[in-house]
Amino acid sequence: MDSIVVTGGGPLNGEIPIAGAKNACLTLMPATLLSEEPLTLTNAPRLSDIKTMTTLLQSLGAEVTSMQDGQVLAMSSHNIHNHTADYDIVRKMRASILVLGPMLARDGHAIVSLPGGCAIGARPVDLHLKALEAMGAELELKDGYVHAKAMQGLKGGVIDFDFASVGATENALMAATLAKGTTVINNAAREPEIVDLADCLRRMGAQIEGDGTPSITIQGVDRLNGATHPVVTDRIELGTYMLAPAIAGGEVELIGGRINLLSAFCEKLDAAGISVEETQRGLKVSRKNGRVNAVNVVTEPFPGFPTDLQAQMMALLCTAEGTSVLEEKIFENRFMHAPELLRMGAQIDVQGGTATVTGVDKLKGAPVMATDLRASVSLILAGLAAEGETTVSRVYHLDRGYEHVVGKLSAVGAKIERIKE
Ligand code: UD1
């Protein structure tokens, strides 16, 4: 298994291009199943999760062609011959459940394995199923698979989510585009990836209003057409690389970045003493002066502080002046990076969903282990400022969500290399 070796030290200077969003692409790809005409995505990120979704769609009969070094995905679902999403593929990635709504809406039946994904909590799919039932689907759970039927087609309905789940909102939104009549999704997730999906579906001829607010209304149509759609910027990759100069010093411009993708995160950076300046091409980030201040963080659904940046923010706060409290409200088991950061000399006390971080002057390089996608990049960030060498093992997690991480960070002066095994 490959590992990444980071030698901490100097400041970082230069620019980093930000890719299209993994989480947007993973919901835009299954949207191909809604139409017999081609759907082409541009600005796609080059990631192993995208390859997994490609394999899943191909197993159903969709054609997926990766062009321009993976940045363009040309898809066509005119010949869906298999309606079963197999456990062997689905277990690798939780987002696989997103094929359920589109297949059911288009053909009236689908069988999808219950998903796996990052080990950051129980992560059930009850809200996805509840939404589809509200549209008239008949569901049965058998041998680890969801068997879904709507032989007369899905019908518009009112969906009231108890929690603004991103994935459940996406599944419901896609399914509702082809349901008969009007569907209203209340307490819908408001993430930019939902708005991007709605934009793509509108390009395909769907009638959707209210995306980006807690109530989305969809007027079902008989069929959707093909379209070409650019994937929105990856706000989590953006936030991750914004933290690199915040942790290591220097000034880095993130090309394609926008503050409105990450307002709550940018407010916390400001309070921590990090300057974020909008430029014509993106965002320029540097430390205002000296040491970073401690700040308290609570993760929340968008527009709150993203759970997907909690681990990386913790890496910054490990060397802040004072004590920070991080509360994780989205996933129940998302502090697996804390014991690894302790190995690097951090002072962190985890009690349930709360981590108290007391800043130390310096972290020290150590061998550490990546436990999930965002945890793995937080260890790389911590390594950028640590004294000596940090070796992060099990980096396959990283490949799920960060393209060319070594290339992007070395381009701004980081000492980082991948050791192949
Ligand atoms: C998406 C993102 C993930 C991010 C998360 C929260 C993708 C591919 N992944 O995941 O990176 O961390 O949003 O911003 O877009 N829940 C239920 N029942 C359900 C669905 C969810 O209880 O049916 C719970 C989950 O266990 C979790 C919380 O709701 O505790 C948030 O999950 P959700 O918003 O659905 O996240 P995902 O769509 O899985």
Side-chain angles (χ1 to χ4, degrees):
M1 261 182 268
D2 292 5
S3 53
I4 286 185
V5 180
V6 189
T7 308
L12 306 177
N13 285 290
E15 55 183 58
I16 298 180
I18 304 301
K22 167 181 88 77
N23 287 350
C25 204
L26 288 178
T27 184
L28 292 164
M29 292 176 75
T32 181
L33 297 170
L34 291 165
S35 173
E36 304 224 330
E37 293 178 26
L39 174 64
T40 300
L41 300 176
T42 60
N43 196 36
R46 280 73 59 92
L47 303 169
S48 65
D49 269 8
I50 301 300
K51 289 197 180 128
T52 304
M53 184 58 86
T54 299
T55 307
L56 174 58
L57 291 173
Q58 286 171 336
S59 76
L60 305 174
E63 289 163 21
V64 183
T65 312
S66 166
M67 298 184 299
Q68 294 185 24
D69 191 26
Q71 278 182 304
V72 173
L73 296 172
M75 299 176 290
S76 172
S77 299
H78 62 90
N79 181 25
I80 297 304
H81 53 71
N82 169 30
H83 289 79
T84 301
D86 203 73
Y87 175 68
D88 272 348
I89 308 175
V90 175
R91 72 185 167 83
K92 294 189 184 147
M93 188 179 68
R94 179 180 162 81
S96 309
I97 191 78
L98 295 171
V99 301
L100 177 60
M103 266 201 290
L104 185 61
R106 169 178 154 154
D107 292 329
H109 61 111
I111 301 175
V112 177
S113 165
L114 290 166
C118 277
I120 55 174
R123 306 185 85 178
V125 292
D126 53 319
L127 299 173
H128 298 245
L129 305 186
K130 186 181 157 183
L132 297 173
E133 274 178 333
M135 285 186 262
E138 288 166 36
L139 305 175
E140 205 184 339
L141 294 183
K142 251 192 320 200
D143 307 326
Y145 282 76
V146 182
H147 294 245
K149 271 192 201 145
M151 291 328 267
Q152 310 303 317
L154 291 173
K155 292 191 269 308
V158 176
I159 299 163
D160 291 309
F161 283 129
D162 309 328
F163 176 83
S165 154
V166 175
T169 302
E170 291 166 345
N171 238 333
L173 178 57
M174 287 190 278
T177 58
L178 291 180
K180 286 189 195 81
T182 307
T183 299
V184 179
I185 308 176
N186 292 320
N187 198 17
R190 289 180 276 168
E191 270 68 3
E193 294 76 26
I194 305 274
V195 176
D196 199 40
L197 173 63
D199 280 341
C200 175
L201 294 169
R202 273 189 289 264
R203 283 175 203 256
M204 295 169 76
Q207 292 188 17
I208 303 166
E209 277 175 22
D211 45 296
T213 79
S215 182
I216 307 179
T217 305
I218 305 108
Q219 187 67 50
V221 295
D222 288 342
R223 57 179 296 281
L224 292 178
N225 45 257
T228 298
H229 177 83
V231 180
V232 68
T233 299
D234 195 318
R235 65 197 165 95
I236 307 303
E237 190 196 27
L238 170 65
T240 301
Y241 289 129
M242 286 170 78
L243 286 168
I247 287 176
E251 184 179 78
V252 174
E253 188 173 10
L254 295 312
I255 308 302
R258 285 187 279 127
I259 286 181
N260 64 358
L261 289 171
L262 282 174
S263 335
F265 173 74
C266 289
E267 275 167 30
K268 290 296 173 191
L269 286 190
D270 184 56
I274 309 301
S275 150
V276 179
E277 191 194 319
E278 273 186 307
T279 65
Q280 283 200 330
R281 301 167 67 214
L283 298 177
K284 213 173 246 184
V285 178
S286 59
R287 272 197 206 166
K288 289 182 201 164
N289 46 42
R291 210 167 146 184
V292 170
N293 308 317
V295 289
N296 296 337
V297 170
V298 181
T299 64
E300 285 170 334
F302 191 86
F305 191 100
T307 174
D308 285 352
L309 285 171
Q310 178 260 108
Q312 302 89 312
M313 190 71 179
M314 187 185 282
L316 172 75
L317 296 175
C318 283
T319 53
E321 183 98 56
T323 299
S324 310
V325 177
L326 290 101
E327 270 184 83
E328 175 54 60
K329 296 264 196 194
I330 309 291
F331 294 111
E332 68 269 30
N333 184 20
R334 208 175 196 184
F335 286 131
M336 287 178 298
H337 40 286
E340 302 302 309
L341 290 167
L342 288 181
R343 296 173 50 77
M344 299 176 71
Q347 280 190 27
I348 306 166
D349 178 38
V350 175
Q351 301 288 338
T354 302
T356 305
V357 182
T358 306
V360 296
D361 282 344
K362 263 234 163 281
L363 293 176
K364 291 197 182 60
V368 287
M369 201 166 69
T371 47
D372 68 60
L373 168 55
R374 307 303 170 185
S376 55
V377 84
S378 78
L379 299 172
I380 291 180
L381 288 176
L384 290 174
E387 251 166 28
E389 214 174 77
T390 299
T391 304
V392 185
S393 55
R394 295 206 181 163
V395 291
Y396 56 86
H397 291 291
L398 198 71
D399 299 330
R400 293 187 50 200
Y402 291 90
E403 61 170 42
H404 309 315
V405 68
V406 168
K408 286 187 182 189
L409 284 172
S410 358
V412 292
K415 294 193 189 92
I416 176 167
E417 61 177 323
R418 185 169 182 134
I419 311 292
K420 297 239 175 247
E421 272 171 31

